[in-house]
Amino acid sequence: MNGAVPPQFHPAGFDGALRTALDDIRAGRWRSTRELLRTCRTWGVRTARSQVLAAAVVAAQGDAVEAWLQEEPSAEALMMRARVRVQQALGAYRAGERGVGVLADRARAACFEAARYGPADPVPWVCLVALAQLDWPEEGRRRPEHRVQPPEDMLPSGPWVLLHEADKRDPGSREAWHRMIQALRAYGANVRDVVRWICSWAPDGSPLLLLPLYLHAEHYAKERARGALTPLYWTTDAVSHATWRALAGWFWYADRTSWSAQDLNHLAQALFSSGLYREAAPVFEAIGPFVTPEPWKYIAEAPDLWLEQFERARVKCRATAVGGTRYIVRRR
């Protein structure tokens, strides 16, 4: 990638086929979505695509998925209805709207129906894990499936049975484990310990090795806002260890056809903020133009200057790498 390539944000990221389906479903056309979901090479790709498509339907306030169900009922259509309803419930929760419980119950019913018609599909179970964050923080008030005992001592109770169902269908599901962390955080659990445990068994190439960087970025943003942290945070032993582990254990081993643009951006930001400019250069090359607002808005002078922050970081890291090792990132 040439450094002059202007950065851009697009929810489809590297997935060109998803871009076409997104345009169609925003316009109320569902057939390209059906074909896209039927031709996913892995469950992970199907999971990621369905989440982006559902977000687009909700943002457009469209009815393409309901039209699909009316015209051609199928496991894919039922899964997408579950996705859309979960997205609606989560959106209402984040916006502080009334009636979140009703939306969550409707979404939960859609998830179980999708799971019945698509028993091998992990997505309905990923959706159920996502809904778990909407439950009560107090363990005694939560639904039984959201207060299951953990697989290891010293871990908090949570929606482990739902996670297990997603994970056995798609081991190491990126979204399922991210959603699990969101639920445990909503319950007030110490998610740092959970993430350390995950990284103790996650294999090389697993996107779960990026989880600590998400926590560090969000913690830095929160503490920086109240003046409790400085950029030196990124050079502490815990952050440095997580950054190197993500670089060596994930970036150099991952299946590059399934890279997440957000994962790449978190790794590039952590390397840049740690002063590891030469190591960050190949990650910026892998990102190409596909920048994501998080985590750059967390370290920018102001959140709305995130794009300028990304560009400055990319220029500095690429300039540092000039004259040294040339990194070439190829897609398999």
Side-chain angles (χ1 to χ4, degrees):
M1 282 291 177
N2 189 299
V5 174
Q8 58 180 279
F9 172 67
H10 194 286
F14 304 106
D15 195 336
L18 177 56
R19 288 187 177 225
T20 300
L22 275 174
D23 291 339
D24 283 349
I25 206 161
R26 286 169 179 150
R29 300 186 294 269
W30 51 266
R31 285 179 172 77
S32 60
T33 289
R34 176 193 62 191
E35 296 309 311
L36 185 72
L37 294 174
R38 287 179 177 176
T39 57
C40 296
R41 64 186 180 281
T42 66
W43 286 119
V45 171
R46 177 183 169 89
T47 302
R49 284 174 167 174
S50 63
Q51 195 278 326
V52 173
L53 288 162
V57 171
V58 173
Q61 299 182 336
D63 59 358
V65 172
E66 293 300 328
W68 180 4
L69 271 168
Q70 290 294 320
E71 295 181 43
E72 189 181 295
S74 64
E76 286 85 4
L78 287 168
M79 181 274 288
M80 281 302 303
R81 181 173 68 179
R83 268 294 197 190
V84 168
R85 291 187 175 179
V86 169
Q87 190 73 20
Q88 290 169 335
L90 293 175
Y93 171 72
R94 293 177 187 129
E97 297 175 5
R98 299 170 66 104
V100 172
V102 173
L103 290 174
D105 288 344
R106 187 179 72 149
R108 190 173 292 108
C111 290
F112 282 117
E113 184 176 10
R116 286 195 300 272
Y117 281 89
D121 191 350
V123 175
W125 298 100
V126 172
C127 289
L128 287 166
V129 179
L131 287 172
Q133 66 188 280
L134 306 184
D135 210 343
W136 294 95
E138 299 84 1
E139 183 173 1
R141 302 182 70 179
R142 296 201 302 263
R143 300 175 66 88
E145 64 268 30
H146 297 164
R147 47 186 165 91
V148 175
Q149 290 304 300
E152 296 281 346
D153 293 338
M154 307 305 291
L155 296 177
S157 66
W160 294 101
V161 66
L162 303 177
L163 177 67
H164 173 70
E165 293 295 336
D167 204 57
K168 74 180 183 181
R169 290 166 172 81
D170 181 21
S173 167
R174 178 184 180 277
E175 185 184 346
W177 285 92
H178 272 266
R179 296 296 193 180
M180 183 68 176
I181 296 301
Q182 291 172 359
L184 295 177
R185 183 170 5 201
Y187 302 159
N190 182 353
V191 295
R192 286 179 179 264
D193 287 346
V194 178
V195 166
R196 276 193 289 269
W197 170 73
I198 293 169
C199 290
S200 73
W201 52 257
D204 285 338
S206 171
L208 301 185
L209 296 175
L210 276 293
L211 280 170
L213 301 189
Y214 283 78
L215 293 190
H216 285 306
E218 292 160 8
H219 175 71
Y220 177 76
K222 180 180 178 181
E223 295 300 300
R224 179 193 180 198
R226 65 186 190 91
L229 285 182
T230 71
L232 290 176
Y233 173 77
W234 297 100
T235 63
T236 60
D237 288 345
V239 179
S240 294
H241 174 77
T243 303
W244 278 108
R245 180 77 175 96
L247 178 68
W250 175 73
F251 183 70
W252 294 119
Y253 284 90
D255 174 6
R256 296 172 181 178
T257 63
S258 61
W259 264 340
S260 158
Q262 192 153 46
D263 284 350
L264 288 170
N265 276 267
H266 272 79
L267 179 56
Q269 177 270 311
L271 289 165
F272 165 74
S273 296
S274 301
L276 299 171
Y277 305 137
R278 188 178 301 278
E279 290 78 4
V283 185
F284 279 105
E285 188 173 349
I287 291 170
F290 298 115
V291 62
T292 60
E294 295 87 9
W296 302 106
K297 70 178 185 180
Y298 299 149
I299 66 168
E301 293 179 8
D304 59 345
L305 298 178
W306 61 269
L307 193 56
E308 290 86 342
Q309 177 62 64
F310 168 82
E311 191 61 86
R312 284 196 300 271
R314 180 171 70 167
V315 168
K316 185 172 184 63
C317 293
R318 291 180 64 86
T320 302
V322 170
T325 304
R326 176 167 176 75
Y327 299 100
I328 300 175
V329 179
R330 297 186 177 91
R331 297 208 176 276
R332 290 201 291 258

